[in-house]
Amino acid sequence: MSRSINVMETATKLKDLTVEEFKTLISDTMRESLEDILEDFTALSSKEYLTSIREAREDYKHGRVKSLEEIDV
C-alpha cells in the first residue's frame, strides 16, 4: 500500500494541520507501513510463496507467458 506523496504539496498543507490531524496522519502512515512490512514478512516466510516466485521467474525466462490481451477476463 505504498503512497506517492508530492513533497511540495504536502509541505504547504502541513502548516494548515492541527496537532491532532498531524498525529493522525503520522499514526495512519506508521500503521500502513507496519502492515506492509508484516505482509511482506509473512509472504517471504512461506515456502509455497517463494517456490511460486521461482517457478514464475523460470516460466518468464523460458517464454511461458501470456499477454494481457491473450487472457480471457
Side-chain angles (χ1 to χ4, degrees):
M1 264 201 158
S2 300
R3 281 193 225 183
S4 174
I5 298 176
N6 181 323
V7 176
M8 290 304 291
E9 182 180 316
T10 303
T12 0
K13 291 184 178 183
L14 280 178
K15 68 179 178 65
D16 297 330
L17 294 177
T18 66
V19 171
E20 285 306 312
E21 290 170 329
F22 185 68
K23 284 181 181 179
T24 301
L25 175 65
I26 297 297
S27 176
D28 290 349
T29 302
M30 290 299 298
R31 183 178 5 268
E32 288 174 11
S33 294
L34 287 172
E35 287 172 359
D36 289 345
I37 290 169
L38 280 173
E39 185 178 304
D40 291 346
F41 178 76
T42 301
L44 293 173
S45 297
S46 164
K47 269 189 172 182
E48 293 83 16
Y49 179 75
L50 294 175
T51 299
S52 74
I53 290 174
R54 266 187 234 103
E55 290 173 354
R57 288 179 178 166
E58 280 295 310
D59 287 343
Y60 182 79
K61 182 177 170 182
H62 295 288
R64 296 185 295 254
V65 295
K66 292 184 177 184
S67 68
L68 286 176
E69 292 78 24
E70 293 175 290
I71 299 173
D72 186 28
V73 188

